Structure formats: structure tokens, C-alpha cells
Amino acid sequence: MNQLGDGRPPDRPRFTEKQGQYLAFIRIYGLLNDRAPAERDMQRFFGVTAPSVHQMVLALERAGLIRRQPSLAHSIELLVKPDILPRLQPIEPVIAVISGAPTANDRTGNDYQRVGCRSQC
């Protein structure tokens, strides 16, 4: 884990903004569901690909911010104090062109459908 020479954890978190959002999600998900999220849960929330989530999980593990058991879903454990985590920010819904979908039209006549939205959009 990230520690100073005297064994105390650093005052400032040692993670990027994006990593902080993943850590905050892991914490909140665990509080709400009484278990850690699977990588698929993070993929749905952040609207990213499975390889992107897996690479982030590996990066968080290498940085000493989480611990997990490979090949075991819901095994992620936070190794940082909750009080240094950022507030989980809402994710903007992603708009994708879906051919033939019964959705709202833009001025060009393309059909759009909201995807990646976590609740009611």
C-alpha cells in the first residue's frame, strides 16, 4: 500500500481522478449490495468495454489500492480509507445511433437511443 517512510499512509490520495471514480463505485456498490461489484457491474455503470474495466482493475491492484482473487467475481477489496475517496459522479448517458430503432429523431433523420444510462434517463 502507498505509505510514507514512517509507515503512515500519505495525506493525499495517490490515484487519478478516473481511478478515484472506480474506487468510489466499488465502495458505494459494496454498501448498497453487501458485496463487491463484479467487473461487469463496473462495465455497465461506466459504459466502457470489458477490457477497459479489466485493465483498470489490474492498475488499481498494481497500485495497491485494491486486492482481489483472480477469476472470482465479487472479490474486490478496497485497501484505501473511505474518507479519502472522491464523491461518485453521475455518468452522462451515451447516445448511440441505432439503425431501425423506434426512438427520437434528430434534425438529420438519424435514429438515436440512449445507452449507458444507469436509471431513468
Side-chain angles (χ1 to χ4, degrees), residues 93-105:
V94 178
I95 305 229
V97 176
I98 309 293
S99 64
T103 58
N105 288 338

Side-chain angles (χ1 to χ4, degrees), residues 18 22 39-57 94:
K18 184 184 284 189
Y22 275 81
E39 289 187 16
R40 178 73 176 124
D41 299 315
M42 290 183 271
Q43 181 184 348
R44 276 192 297 265
F45 180 84
F46 289 106
V48 296
T49 64
S52 294
V53 170
H54 188 67
Q55 289 303 310
M56 177 59 77
V57 168
V94 178

Side-chain angles (χ1 to χ4, degrees), residues 103-118:
T103 58
N105 288 338
D106 72 353
R107 291 184 184 152
T108 65
N110 290 326
D111 288 333
Y112 288 89
Q113 177 178 344
R114 289 181 181 266
V115 294
C117 192
R118 292 176 294 158

Side-chain angles (χ1 to χ4, degrees), residues 16-30:
T16 66
E17 184 177 333
K18 184 184 284 189
Q19 288 173 333
Q21 287 301 294
Y22 275 81
L23 293 168
F25 176 80
I26 292 166
R27 166 120 170 101
I28 297 300
Y29 186 98

Side-chain angles (χ1 to χ4, degrees), residues 54-76:
H54 188 67
Q55 289 303 310
M56 177 59 77
V57 168
L58 293 177
L60 294 172
E61 188 175 35
R62 275 192 308 271
L65 300 168
I66 64 168
R67 178 176 29 223
R68 69 186 180 95
Q69 293 181 344
S71 302
L72 181 62
H74 307 285
S75 67
I76 296 173

